[in-house]
């Protein structure tokens, strides 16, 4: 009898947690993981098959990482064996930052906690216009930054 009561209590907690998570996601449509499918940047050709990128949103925090450009990262066996030029190419190709965010209407405002560069962490943050259509997110950096199209993966 005690075991049945414990199992029933555990199931109740899991159902409640699941419902709370679903409610949060319904309230904030950004919550989830998004894979980049297209990058449109002013003055550059649109990348319709970009290198990998993943943007993750929890109810209060985000993490962005992507490889910029159309070329994959250089292939080397380890950081110890990479040339300085290969390391610079990797550094210049990767965009990454994580922090907290707020949403008001269709505007996402991020505050960077950690990033690849100190200047990004010292900045006041960025703002993006966003639109969600089904499982597609379009995120455009204000005032005239790149427009990223993404598909929800989780």
């Amino acid at each position: 009898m005690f075991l049945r009561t414990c199992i029933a209590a555990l199931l109740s907690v899991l159902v409640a947690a699941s419902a709370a998570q679903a409610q949060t996601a319904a309230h904030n449509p950004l919550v989830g993981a998004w894979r980049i499918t297209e990058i449109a940047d002013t003055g550059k050709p649109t990348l319709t098959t970009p290198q990998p990128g993943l943007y993750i949103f929890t109810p209060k925090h985000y993490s962005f990482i992507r490889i910029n450009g159309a070329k994959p990262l250089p292939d080397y066996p380890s950081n110890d064996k990479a040339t300085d030029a290969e390391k610079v190419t990797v550094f210049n190709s990767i965009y990454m930052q994580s922090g907290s965010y707020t949403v008001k209407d269709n505007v996402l405002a991020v505050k960077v906690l950690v990033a690849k560069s100190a200047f990004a962490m010292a900045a006041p943050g960025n703002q993006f216009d966003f639109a969600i259509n089904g499982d597609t997110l379009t995120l455009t950096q204000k005032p005239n930054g790149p427009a990223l199209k993404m598909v929800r993966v989780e």
Side-chain angles (χ1 to χ4, degrees), residues 118-143:
F119 72 84
M121 293 188 296
N126 291 314
Q127 290 191 341
F128 302 83
D129 287 322
F130 74 90
I132 297 176
N133 185 2
D135 282 340
T136 301
L137 167 64
T138 302
L139 195 63
T140 306
Q141 187 172 345
K142 291 179 150 202

Side-chain angles (χ1 to χ4, degrees), residues 61-118:
H61 294 87
Y62 74 93
S63 186
F64 300 165
I65 187 163
R66 72 175 187 261
I67 300 170
N68 289 320
K71 295 180 182 178
L73 296 176
D75 187 20
Y76 47 84
S78 72
N79 287 338
D80 294 341
K81 296 185 181 187
T83 66
D84 287 346
E86 289 170 327
K87 290 177 183 178
V88 167
T89 297
V90 168
F91 185 85
N92 289 339
S93 298
I94 293 179
Y95 171 85
M96 67 176 115
Q97 62 174 247
S98 296
S100 60
Y101 74 95
T102 58
V103 171
K104 183 173 181 183
D105 299 322
N106 70 324
V107 177
L108 165 69
V110 300
K111 177 62 180 136
V112 179
L113 174 66
V114 63
K116 177 178 78 170
S117 302

Side-chain angles (χ1 to χ4, degrees), residues 2 27 51 122 126:
F2 175 73
H27 181 262
Q51 292 300 306
N126 291 314

